[in-house]
């Protein structure tokens, strides 16, 4: 694999995440749309809400990696090459950012702004 393109990444993510890949993509798109709605409604980021979302987002990244190892037949011992570590880091990053966006949106949609 000397060239890296989007189709290759999608195929690798599908292989790693199994049937959960497309529902996770849909959930990420929904969280992004909800985040944009809250951001447009509030016209700014609320710092307290952002800190909570970022703190809990790291746990979402850890959960994303653990879910990846649960739904696949591979484990930490199977990580061999740099692309494996890059994908694990990418899954952690997407899990962290997705969870933070989703939590920020959920906090914005279900909690009223106090001020």
């Amino acid at each position: 694999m000397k060239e890296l393109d989007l189709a290759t990444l999608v195929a690798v993510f599908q292989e790693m995440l199994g049937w959960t890949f497309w529902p996770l993509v849909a959930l990420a798109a929904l969280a992004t749309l909800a985040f944009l709605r809250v951001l447009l409604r509030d016209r700014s980021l609320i710092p307290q809400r952002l800190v909570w979302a970022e703190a809990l987002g790291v746990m979402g990244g850890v959960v994303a990696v653990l879910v990846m190892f649960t739904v696949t037949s591979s484990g930490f011992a199977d990580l061999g090459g740099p692309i494996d570590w890059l994908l694990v880091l990418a899954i952690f990053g997407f899990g962290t950012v997705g969870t933070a966006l989703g939590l920020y949106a959920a906090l914005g949609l279900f909690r009223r702004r106090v001020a």
Side-chain angles (χ1 to χ4, degrees):
M1 188 164 75
K2 295 186 179 195
E3 293 183 21
L4 186 64
D5 60 357
L6 185 61
T8 303
L9 279 179
V10 169
V12 171
F13 276 120
Q14 271 188 311
E15 184 67 24
M16 290 177 77
L17 294 172
W19 65 270
T20 61
F21 177 71
W22 290 111
L24 287 175
V25 169
L27 186 64
L30 186 65
T32 303
L33 290 175
F35 174 77
L36 290 174
R37 183 189 185 288
V38 169
L39 190 62
L40 290 174
R41 185 193 67 194
D42 292 344
R43 298 181 194 272
S44 67
L45 290 172
I46 309 298
Q48 183 181 12
R49 190 184 308 157
L50 184 62
V51 168
W52 275 105
E54 288 175 343
L56 293 174
V58 174
M59 287 191 279
V62 172
V63 169
V65 171
L66 293 177
V67 166
M68 177 199 65
F69 283 122
T70 301
V71 299
T72 63
S73 59
S74 64
F76 284 104
D78 298 324
L79 298 176
I83 190 68
D84 295 335
W85 287 101
L86 181 67
L87 286 174
V88 169
L89 288 175
I91 289 170
F92 176 80
F94 285 130
T96 301
V97 171
T99 303
L101 286 178
L103 286 174
Y104 186 89
L107 289 173
L109 290 174
F110 300 116
R111 291 179 109 189
R112 293 307 240 166
R113 184 177 182 179
V114 179

